[in-house]
Amino acid sequence: MLRHTLGALILCASAVHGQGLQRVLSPNNDLSGLNFSSPTDNNLPRLNFSSPSPLIFHSTFALLQQWPNTFFEYGHTIAPCKVPKGTNLYHASSDGKRPPEPEFLAFDPEMAYWILGTTPDSHMFTYRTRREVQCLYFDGSSASLRRDGSMDSQMAFLYNSTYNIPPKPILELPPEFRNLTGNKTFFNDIALEYTRAEKLCDFIHNHSLGGPGWGYEGVVRMNTGFEMIWCNFSSPSVELVSRLNVSAPRLEEVPSRWTHLGHVPETFVVKGRKKRGKKQIPGLTFDNPFAVNGGVYSWWHAATKRYGFGNGQYGRGETRVRLDSCTLFTLYDPGMQDQESARVMDERKSLNLTKEGYWMAPREDNERDAALKTLSRRRQAQRAHNVSEADGLYMRGAVEQRMRLLLSTEKEQHCSGIDWIEIARDIVSAYSIELYNLLKRLEFFGQLGPEDARLWLSDIRHASHLVFMPFYEYPDITKSTLQEAFAVNASNSQSALHRCKTQYAPFEAEELSDSERLTSHAISDVLSAICTTMLPIFLQTERIWLANFNNFSAPPVVTPAVPLWHELQTATSHNIQAIEELMAWLGWIDQWTACDPGCALGQVCYIPIWPALAMGGILKGGMKGHEDLDEADGSLDRYLWEPTCVDFHHFPPGW
Ligand SMILES: *[C@@H]1O[C@H](CO)[C@@H](O)[C@H](O)[C@H]1NC(C)=O
Ligand SMILES: *[C@@H]1O[C@H](CO)[C@@H](O)[C@H](O)[C@H]1NC(C)=O
Ligand SMILES: *[C@@H]1O[C@H](CO)[C@@H](O)[C@H](O)[C@H]1NC(C)=O
Ligand SMILES: *[C@@H]1O[C@H](CO)[C@@H](O)[C@H](O)[C@H]1NC(C)=O
Ligand SMILES: *[C@@H]1O[C@H](CO)[C@@H](O)[C@H](O)[C@H]1NC(C)=O
Ligand SMILES: *[C@@H]1O[C@H](CO)[C@@H](O)[C@H](O)[C@H]1NC(C)=O
Ligand SMILES: *[C@@H]1O[C@H](CO)[C@@H](O)[C@H](O)[C@H]1NC(C)=O
Ligand SMILES: *[C@@H]1O[C@H](CO)[C@@H](O)[C@H](O)[C@H]1NC(C)=O
Ligand SMILES: *[C@@H]1O[C@H](CO)[C@@H](O)[C@H](O)[C@H]1NC(C)=O
Ligand SMILES: *[C@@H]1O[C@H](CO)[C@@H](O)[C@H](O)[C@H]1NC(C)=O
Ligand SMILES: *[C@@H]1O[C@H](CO)[C@@H](O)[C@H](O)[C@H]1NC(C)=O
Ligand SMILES: *[C@@H]1O[C@H](CO)[C@@H](O)[C@H](O)[C@H]1NC(C)=O
């Protein structure tokens, strides 16, 4: 939604991909007790890294959540949505005129205020929905102008293909601005935003999917918080509840370099948008006491209330927008043949995958760690920029059909009623932290003293038992039958595996929509990977425990001199490898990244979110105590991987 400031344009032009450390997947524990076998000579389940299932799963799980969609800026889901009756939406303007359409409405007033509420003559419009409003949602950071990939899905959707998208318009700057920016070329992303908004609304109207007062009336996207492109203000679906002059008394004697930056000439923003009146302009004026930094912090802070899941725990996503998991469309749909085959081909090379999708891991441990990191983040690099016309028409048809289904009375007949999004969230909640903790516990092996093995294995046993607890019946066992009883192919084992894999399988006769079939398939693949990886770990742990540690009165002493040590060592190095690869395959890195230590009351875990991400940099003085955050470039990306707790102290008012 931020589209009026020079600052924002500088940010999008100068942002670069940064490399950071991901703590989670680079164990810094002492692993000297372990000896990794080579990746090909063990019997780990082979995971298909070309499969779209973990990608579909992650996109589904993350819908409408700020935190994961900040980690994964490039969206892959398009979904019809609804905004409930009685929802407030905000728009600020610098001239007090009712906005022309389409315009951008913020769910958080802080967003609207910061964007255009701080000029000498700013007005805040508050609208409230009079009925449940239907909308179309693009996931990812779909309103972020930081990197082109954020807009891929919208553009391919509008132009039927990647290859029909016209080049971005160039921003024509007056000479004094050209000098100020070193004659750099900027794209007019703001004009492009309006074109995009018009086209998205046109799509709705042209296909008779909505209009003023009925059907689809807007498009929901995210940058720092969520916004809605509202298609037509003459609609009775929203009512203007207030229009207030929110201009505050200006600061006096502000250095001219700041006010100069603020008073952006009309041509700067408006060019390329003929329909709009001349006065609908800028901009950020820095003699407003609330413009920086506290204002930016308020905006960013409002967005963080919609973080959603963190550390595998439920949080509040954008609950003012609701989805129906019967009608999701994913760009990983196999029907997107050219887009999908390009992803598979490109990643085969970049990620060292075989044509079956198996990963050829580097042999050196440190190379392997780095490669695992790349694998686990692979969705971050996946752009929807290989969409052929055939793909585009397929996508358009599918989205239209799904939007229409929700307008019709036939929904019940075509949808199972199962909430697949909640199921995906339950799975993340059930396994993400458990896997992480199990990995950390396994890695502790290298530090065990001779007396510690029993306690340590008991920990591992608890963690692996938990996964199979609802599914596993212990067979009759004696010491001499342990080997067969806990074999992977034993019937109790296989039954448990089946129950684990199918724990959310729909009943056979269940009618699923096309969307549901795909989501359900992705969920089933994700569960298969988790259950298949965990089964041998569980069984082997039970077997070793029962063979050696089950006598409460006689804990064995385990030193490198005894065979049991070797057995534990081999098992543990295999298990670490298996879990690392599983975690990389799942790619839930957003769930395995946290502020460490955790944040105190009143603090929030800071990750850079566009465009509020670098405000502290552009407007000197932000992020006190974090001098390196004063950079309006990729150095901020570090904080995505090493987030840090902040509160209002880090954003002192003014500068
Ligand atoms: C690790 O395994 C390799 C191959 O099995 C072996 O040659 C090497 O000695 C082992 N290293 C340690 C520290 O056990
Ligand atoms: C892995 O997934 C890709 C993409 O869907 C598919 O082409 C390939 O056949 C799969 N590999 C196996 C072994 O099933
Ligand atoms: C996209 O395809 C539809 C259906 O064929 C067509 O009506 C529309 O004009 C196309 N849009 C563009 C921008 O090519
Ligand atoms: C641009 O900068 C050059 C070199 O500093 C200066 O000579 C020129 O007058 C400036 N032009 C404008 C329009 O400010
Ligand atoms: C920008 O280009 C103009 C005209 O080409 C030139 O006069 C000016 O010095 C340049 N400014 C900078 C900062 O390079
Ligand atoms: C909608 O229809 C108008 C007028 O017929 C046309 O100019 C426009 O390209 C169409 N837009 C879309 C997104 O289909
Ligand atoms: C908004 O709706 C009104 C009333 O139906 C219509 O006259 C107007 O053309 C619409 N505006 C746009 C931009 O579609
Ligand atoms: C809005 O308020 C500001 C500050 O009080 C004032 O300067 C401005 O003239 C007001 N605008 C209108 C249209 O009354
Ligand atoms: C996908 O698109 C990108 C960007 O245009 C291009 O570099 C890449 O080669 C394409 N992949 C395939 C397999 O065509
Ligand atoms: C792929 O192989 C190259 C060369 O060995 C290595 O540098 C890179 O880390 C590997 N990447 C992955 C994801 O395995
Ligand atoms: C399990 O596999 C082993 C070795 O492959 C075999 O000897 C045994 O009969 C199998 N057991 C079952 C229950 O299939
Ligand atoms: C447990 O260990 C104690 C001490 O070594 C031994 O006396 C006892 O027989 C063992 N019990 C079983 C069931 O193996």
Side-chain angles (χ1 to χ4, degrees):
M1 173 154 174
L2 183 119
R3 51 189 195 280
H4 299 272
T5 72
L6 179 60
L9 289 162
I10 292 171
L11 294 192
C12 30
S14 62
V16 293
H17 283 269
Q19 292 293 315
L21 283 176
Q22 192 195 4
R23 281 167 301 157
V24 171
L25 292 174
S26 56
N28 49 10
N29 289 345
D30 174 18
L31 293 178
S32 55
L34 299 180
N35 192 353
F36 284 98
S37 55
S38 90
T40 45
D41 68 9
N42 59 43
N43 53 11
L44 297 178
R46 313 259 4 219
L47 296 168
N48 185 349
F49 280 88
S50 290
S51 163
S53 291
L55 312 170
I56 294 174
F57 182 95
H58 190 277
S59 180
T60 304
F61 141 75
L63 293 170
L64 292 170
Q65 300 178 66
Q66 182 80 44
W67 180 271
N69 282 298
T70 302
F71 280 80
F72 296 93
E73 292 177 293
Y74 306 161
H76 291 88
T77 299
I78 306 176
C81 56
K82 288 178 179 172
V83 173
K85 181 174 175 176
T87 304
N88 289 322
L89 295 160
Y90 305 89
H91 179 79
S93 89
S94 59
D95 61 3
K97 292 219 179 101
R98 238 184 135 92
E101 54 247 351
E103 250 306 347
F104 300 79
L105 301 179
F107 283 89
D108 299 321
E110 294 89 342
M111 182 195 237
Y113 184 76
W114 202 84
I115 290 171
L116 219 55
T118 60
T119 74
D121 193 12
S122 273
H123 288 68
M124 177 79 85
F125 293 76
T126 302
Y127 294 90
R128 191 170 303 149
T129 53
R130 276 195 155 274
R131 62 172 199 109
E132 182 182 70
V133 164
Q134 281 175 282
C135 47
L136 186 63
Y137 166 59
F138 288 86
D139 80 336
S141 295
S142 49
S144 166
L145 302 179
R146 187 182 186 195
R147 291 172 179 141
D148 286 346
S150 293
M151 294 295 166
D152 284 345
S153 60
Q154 290 166 71
M155 295 308 261
F157 178 76
L158 287 176
Y159 291 94
N160 294 338
S161 135
T162 298
Y163 312 103
N164 295 341
I165 300 171
K168 280 192 182 188
I170 305 279
L171 185 65
E172 284 168 40
L173 286 170
E176 67 271 24
F177 274 87
R178 262 184 256 139
N179 254 8
L180 199 68
T181 56
N183 284 334
K184 217 174 140 152
T185 301
F186 292 96
F187 294 113
N188 197 341
D189 278 303
I190 288 147
L192 188 52
E193 272 285 83
Y194 281 102
T195 307
R196 203 161 21 231
E198 279 163 14
K199 286 189 171 296
L200 287 165
C201 289
D202 274 357
F203 176 84
I204 292 171
H205 297 151
N206 289 10
H207 291 81
S208 305
L209 289 164
W214 74 279
Y216 294 86
E217 300 198 65
V219 177
V220 170
R221 311 184 308 163
M222 186 196 96
N223 55 44
T224 306
F226 288 78
E227 61 163 43
M228 176 145 71
I229 295 169
W230 187 255
C231 291
N232 195 321
F233 284 94
S234 57
S235 166
S237 303
V238 288
E239 183 155 326
L240 182 63
V241 291
S242 62
R243 173 189 165 280
L244 303 175
N245 182 348
V246 291
S247 299
R250 319 309 289 171
L251 290 169
E252 288 156 11
E253 314 288 340
V254 173
S256 67
R257 66 194 170 97
W258 290 107
T259 46
H260 182 59
L261 248 186
H263 296 297
V264 183
E266 293 190 7
T267 49
F268 181 59
V269 170
V270 175
K271 202 130 187 157
R273 189 163 198 255
K274 296 186 201 81
K275 274 201 227 161
R276 292 178 66 76
K278 272 200 167 167
K279 281 211 69 192
Q280 181 60 18
I281 22 164
L284 189 64
T285 47
F286 299 98
D287 49 358
N288 179 292
F290 303 114
V292 290
N293 285 297
V296 185
Y297 178 67
S298 306
W299 176 13
W300 178 84
H301 190 240
T304 67
K305 291 171 190 161
R306 307 291 164 176
Y307 263 171
F309 261 53
N311 296 313
Q313 289 177 18
Y314 273 102
R316 204 170 149 73
E318 184 45 272
T319 47
R320 292 165 291 193
V321 182
R322 317 251 161 99
L323 300 170
D324 188 324
S325 74
C326 178
T327 50
L328 311 175
F329 179 81
T330 168
L331 278 101
Y332 298 114
D333 188 315
M336 301 287 290
Q337 281 180 17
D338 295 305
Q339 163 67 21
E340 267 297 272
S341 77
R343 176 184 66 79
V344 170
M345 296 295 285
D346 289 345
E347 288 192 339
R348 196 174 289 169
K349 262 188 247 140
S350 64
L351 302 176
N352 311 326
L353 308 179
T354 67
K355 66 178 189 307
E356 294 84 13
Y358 302 141
W359 178 47
M360 295 175 287
R363 285 184 173 259
E364 292 291 324
D365 280 359
N366 57 349
E367 272 186 41
R368 186 175 175 278
D369 285 347
L372 279 169
K373 230 183 272 178
T374 309
L375 282 179
S376 66
R377 298 175 183 183
R378 67 195 181 285
R379 195 162 100 76
Q380 278 193 317
Q382 289 166 357
R383 290 190 51 178
H385 63 184
N386 301 85
V387 178
S388 65
E389 181 121 357
D391 291 347
L393 294 178
Y394 171 79
M395 160 165 67
R396 217 174 227 260
V399 172
E400 183 191 338
Q401 180 259 327
R402 286 160 210 200
M403 289 171 82
R404 216 173 284 292
L405 181 61
L406 291 190
L407 282 180
S408 76
T409 51
E410 287 167 33
K411 204 199 109 185
E412 309 296 301
Q413 288 158 251
H414 292 92
C415 300
S416 70
I418 297 170
D419 190 335
W420 299 103
I421 300 172
E422 283 306 314
I423 288 176
R425 290 179 183 165
D426 272 343
I427 291 168
V428 172
S429 162
Y431 297 113
S432 70
I433 293 306
E434 305 305 330
L435 288 173
Y436 173 83
N437 283 339
L438 179 56
L439 180 62
K440 294 290 131 187
R441 285 167 176 178
L442 287 167
E443 283 170 359
F444 197 72
F445 180 80
Q447 295 166 45
L448 286 187
E451 316 288 340
D452 304 335
R454 187 170 190 274
L455 198 58
W456 171 80
L457 194 67
S458 158
D459 251 3
I460 305 290
R461 193 182 182 216
H462 272 282
S464 62
H465 174 253
L466 200 58
V467 173
F468 280 94
M469 180 267 288
F471 312 117
Y472 187 73
E473 281 186 329
Y474 282 88
D476 289 332
I477 36 177
T478 63
K479 278 225 158 160
S480 60
T481 61
L482 286 176
Q483 199 74 38
E484 306 142 51
F486 293 105
V488 167
N489 65 356
S491 69
N492 289 49
S493 312
Q494 286 298 311
S495 306
L497 179 62
H498 179 73
R499 291 183 201 110
C500 181
K501 289 193 327 196
T502 58
Q503 56 184 290
Y504 288 106
F507 294 112
E508 251 167 47
E510 204 75 70
E511 285 283 344
L512 301 183
S513 70
D514 292 345
S515 161
E516 288 184 285
R517 249 197 305 280
L518 200 52
T519 315
S520 158
H521 184 79
I523 287 174
S524 153
D525 277 355
V526 162
L527 286 171
S528 287
I530 295 171
C531 301
T532 312
T533 305
M534 285 302 301
L535 183 72
I537 298 176
F538 164 67
L539 294 171
Q540 181 191 51
T541 306
E542 289 304 298
R543 182 181 56 71
I544 294 178
W545 177 273
L546 292 170
N548 304 286
F549 295 91
N550 209 37
N551 187 337
F552 188 83
S553 314
V557 172
V558 184
T559 64
V562 302
L564 180 54
W565 169 270
H566 184 69
E567 186 177 9
L568 285 174
Q569 185 193 42
T570 310
T572 302
S573 72
H574 276 205
N575 294 346
I576 287 177
Q577 220 170 15
I579 292 179
E580 281 178 343
E581 289 183 22
L582 173 65
M583 287 171 77
W585 184 82
L586 293 169
W588 302 345
I589 48 174
D590 47 293
Q591 296 305 304
W592 298 317
T593 307
C595 275
D596 183 14
C599 302
L601 188 63
Q603 294 187 324
V604 189
C605 187
Y606 174 91
I607 49 169
I609 310 177
W610 194 94
L613 87 165
M615 292 312 172
I618 280 282
L619 317 167
K620 289 271 189 299
M623 290 296 275
K624 261 205 173 149
H626 290 278
E627 296 310 319
D628 44 349
L629 285 187
D630 276 355
E631 293 289 337
D633 66 22
S635 66
L636 272 181
D637 275 353
R638 177 158 86 80
Y639 289 92
L640 197 56
W641 306 111
E642 293 176 30
T644 180
C645 297
V646 298
D647 61 20
F648 65 93
H649 289 110
H650 294 92
F651 294 86
W655 49 87

